Amino acid sequence: MKKIIIGIMGPGDSATSTDLENAYQLGQLIAEAGWILLTGGRNVGVMDAANKGAKSANGLTVGSSPFFWIFICKYT
């Protein structure tokens, strides 16, 4: 069965409280719809809030960091 993947990216340390609340609620809605949440994988700001929202609704989240891939490509 195909699943819809929704990506959320946004500010990290500079996220406002409104940004964080909106991201949390959006993460919840994505999970409740049965979709997969894709973020940059950081544990701060909008991406963290969205992941927490999705997890609060038992959603599946995937984090992909470009820094990780640069490291893999450069050093392996």
Side-chain angles (χ1 to χ4, degrees), residues 40-70:
R42 292 191 64 204
N43 63 348
V44 295
V46 165
M47 291 175 278
D48 184 53
N51 282 324
K52 287 178 178 175
K55 286 299 184 183
S56 76
N58 297 313
L60 175 61
T61 64
V62 177
S64 176
S65 171
F67 299 109
F68 172 76
W69 293 113
I70 291 168

Side-chain angles (χ1 to χ4, degrees), residues 1-75:
M1 176 173 67
K2 293 183 180 180
K3 291 255 186 177
I4 294 174
I5 301 171
I6 304 293
I8 295 181
M9 308 300 165
D13 296 325
S14 62
T16 67
S17 59
T18 301
D19 294 334
L20 299 177
E21 179 60 31
N22 288 338
Y24 186 91
Q25 290 177 3
L26 187 55
Q28 279 184 317
L29 292 171
I30 289 168
E32 289 168 0
W35 300 336
I36 297 169
L37 173 63
L38 172 67
T39 70
R42 292 191 64 204
N43 63 348
V44 295
V46 165
M47 291 175 278
D48 184 53
N51 282 324
K52 287 178 178 175
K55 286 299 184 183
S56 76
N58 297 313
L60 175 61
T61 64
V62 177
S64 176
S65 171
F67 299 109
F68 172 76
W69 293 113
I70 291 168
F71 178 82
I72 293 295
C73 293
K74 186 172 182 179
Y75 297 105

